[in-house]
Amino acid sequence: MPKWLKNFLAPDSGGQGGYPVANSQYYSNAYTGQTEAFDPANSMEAEIKTWYNNEALENARSNHIFTQFAKNIPLPEHHGMTVEMRKANTFGDVPRLQEGVIPDGQKFGYSAVQATVFEYGTYTSLGRRLERHAIDPVAQDAAEEMGAAGGNTQDKIARNVALSGSNVMYCDKADGTRVSTRSQLTRDCVLTPTMVNRAVTWLKKHKAPKINGKYVAIIHPSVTFDIRESKGWLDAHEYAHPDEIYNGEIGELHGVRFIESDNAKVFRGTPLADGDLTVASAVNGSKTVPVSGASLEADALKDRYVLLGGVKYKIESNTANAITLDTAVTAAANTPIYPGEGGADGIAVYGCIFLGKNAFGMIDVAGGNMEVIVKTPEQAGGPLNQFGTIGVYFETGGGVLYEERLLRVECGSYYSDTDEDPDA
């Protein structure tokens, strides 16, 4: 049983079983066997809390893949909730002078990016009887899972900031055909050494500074499967000392250090219905398309996207057996209707983030760092002290600092047919 839980369940001052009064701590005298209370000056409460939080926060840090490449932007207390991040504009080339002629000169200025911080938090309650009778260390396990959930959420928030960059490149098909939209990507549009080289060239042409001498790419495990088979790939242990390897680093190719994360974005969306939707009867120049294969809940698909005949449309509304699109279509009966958030035929598409130094930033809020908060039954359990709580709380926000240092490369994979979008 954890030490802190023993303290919760220590006998009361009358020798009867039960919870002690709030903030009391007890120990057993090894010589007399008597249970005695610590005096306030010798309380172990602070020591227990530190041990408890470290256990959870260590678990949280293991999930930080994207945040390790973000510029840390401090936000002191009492300075509002929005941070303006400024950068000096660059000058053009210095012209050759003509004797006696004053040049026009160049204007100097700054560009600004603003980011706002938001609160995040959740908790679980653990009943008094559960604490007393459970076989497993329930509270310790709950704290670890809270820490993992908090770290995972922070990492996804940082990922979404990086995904908000405007520069996108699509992987070619296996036969070399260029792709210009996500909905054209097929499962054979995998990330290849050629595409990696193209992404590196793009970053170099935009003068993106490197991170410790290399660019960085954060990819999904399914993409790792494809790229790791490539000639020239080096596993991380072949070129770096263990102390120099980033969290999640797996290898290098063409001067890019690859970081693997199961939080890397998968674009697919949820299934449109319980069955496979098709066009029920031929449509000729109409926005309303009758569907078959499943019965829909009214407006359940509103604002979703679909692929119909390889073209992407937005759903304005739907009934039980028809969808109304934003554009008139012509389609034959039995034409498949796929979710439009992913690639061709509704397959999963992967967002690979290639970046240079300080491409995006995350706000470090003074007093808002992730905290695992433990409330004893005396603090949270109501009039009968029936339960305690374990929760996680933090504040964060971020923004893209340099668009020219951030490139999203979208691709398919061998696993595009089976992978789902965990965020959908």
Side-chain angles (χ1 to χ4, degrees):
M1 180 184 295
K3 180 168 59 178
W4 67 271
L5 184 54
K6 288 181 179 179
N7 289 327
F8 284 176
L9 300 179
D12 60 23
S13 57
Q16 303 298 316
Y19 281 75
V21 295
N23 299 322
S24 294
Q25 302 290 331
Y26 293 82
Y27 74 98
S28 180
N29 188 305
Y31 296 97
T32 65
Q34 286 188 317
T35 300
E36 303 176 19
F38 281 111
D39 63 77
N42 295 320
S43 171
M44 295 292 288
E45 182 176 355
E47 174 65 19
I48 295 170
K49 181 178 180 182
T50 300
W51 171 84
Y52 194 75
N53 278 348
N54 282 348
E55 183 80 22
L57 293 178
E58 193 66 38
N59 199 14
R61 278 192 287 272
S62 67
N63 290 319
H64 288 186
I65 300 296
F66 287 85
T67 52
Q68 66 185 321
F69 301 107
K71 180 178 176 60
N72 190 39
I73 302 167
L75 174 60
E77 291 184 349
H78 312 300
H79 281 68
M81 294 184 292
T82 299
V83 176
E84 183 176 88
M85 300 163 282
R86 295 179 300 278
K87 62 177 181 177
N89 295 336
T90 57
F91 289 118
D93 292 340
V94 178
R96 179 180 177 180
L97 296 178
Q98 296 182 16
E99 186 175 354
V101 178
I102 299 175
D104 292 336
Q106 299 184 43
K107 294 182 178 180
F108 181 60
Y110 289 86
S111 298
V113 176
Q114 290 189 339
T116 301
V117 296
F118 298 93
E119 289 183 301
Y120 299 83
T122 189
Y123 72 93
T124 187
S125 60
L126 298 177
R128 178 175 180 172
R129 295 190 67 199
L130 175 65
E131 297 270 10
R132 182 182 295 120
H133 300 294
I135 298 174
D136 295 313
V138 178
Q140 181 177 335
D141 290 347
E144 291 180 3
E145 292 304 319
M146 275 292 173
N152 199 49
T153 302
Q154 286 182 325
D155 200 49
K156 286 186 176 182
I157 293 168
R159 176 205 66 188
N160 291 342
V161 170
L163 285 171
S164 68
S166 59
N167 301 306
V168 187
M169 184 181 291
Y170 302 97
C171 286
D172 297 339
K173 294 185 178 181
D175 61 4
T177 302
R178 291 292 181 92
V179 172
S180 58
T181 65
R182 182 183 300 163
S183 59
Q184 294 174 345
L185 289 169
T186 58
R187 59 189 59 81
D188 68 344
C189 296
V190 299
L191 186 67
T192 63
T194 298
M195 290 304 306
V196 172
N197 201 11
R198 192 179 296 170
V200 169
T201 301
W202 187 95
L203 289 170
K204 288 179 177 178
K205 289 170 69 174
H206 286 82
K207 299 180 174 61
K210 297 177 180 179
I211 305 172
N212 296 325
K214 305 285 184 179
Y215 291 121
V216 165
I218 307 176
I219 62 175
H220 190 275
S222 293
V223 179
T224 300
F225 173 83
D226 298 311
I227 193 67
R228 214 167 196 167
E229 300 296 314
S230 303
K231 184 178 180 180
W233 173 269
L234 286 175
D235 284 327
H237 70 271
E238 297 181 45
Y239 62 82
H241 189 275
D243 294 341
E244 300 170 347
I245 294 177
Y246 294 120
N247 190 17
E249 185 171 359
I250 55 172
E252 180 182 324
L253 180 66
H254 289 329
V256 178
R257 297 174 73 167
F258 284 83
I259 317 298
E260 184 181 75
S261 172
D262 55 9
N263 278 336
K265 182 61 180 174
V266 178
F267 299 99
R268 190 171 193 176
T270 56
L272 297 170
D274 292 337
D276 295 329
L277 286 186
T278 60
V279 177
S281 58
V283 179
N284 187 10
S286 173
K287 294 175 64 174
T288 300
V289 179
V291 299
S292 60
S295 180
L296 305 175
E297 182 181 344
D299 281 341
L301 300 181
K302 184 179 180 181
D303 295 329
R304 286 283 305 271
Y305 290 90
V306 292
L307 286 178
L308 183 56
V311 180
K312 186 175 179 178
Y313 301 95
K314 186 175 183 179
I315 299 176
E316 294 183 338
S317 63
N318 73 271
T319 62
N321 52 18
I323 57 176
T324 300
L325 307 177
D326 59 346
T327 305
V329 300
T330 297
N334 300 319
T335 300
I337 303 173
Y338 298 107
E341 292 85 359
D345 300 338
I347 65 166
V349 168
Y350 308 86
C352 309
I353 302 295
F354 285 73
L355 49 86
K357 185 178 180 180
N358 295 336
F360 69 103
M362 298 301 295
I363 301 172
D364 182 8
V365 185
N369 291 332
M370 197 181 83
E371 180 182 4
V372 175
I373 301 170
V374 181
K375 299 288 187 180
T376 66
E378 290 78 14
Q379 295 170 318
L384 298 180
N385 295 346
Q386 290 175 285
F387 58 88
T389 60
I390 297 174
V392 64
Y393 170 90
F394 60 89
E395 284 185 277
T396 192
V400 174
L401 303 180
Y402 297 91
E403 288 277 1
E404 67 274 16
R405 302 182 187 182
L406 188 60
L407 175 66
R408 184 171 78 251
V409 178
E410 297 191 5
C411 65
S413 167
Y414 175 85
Y415 293 99
S416 284
D417 287 326
T418 56
D419 281 341
E420 302 293 339
D421 180 353
D423 301 315

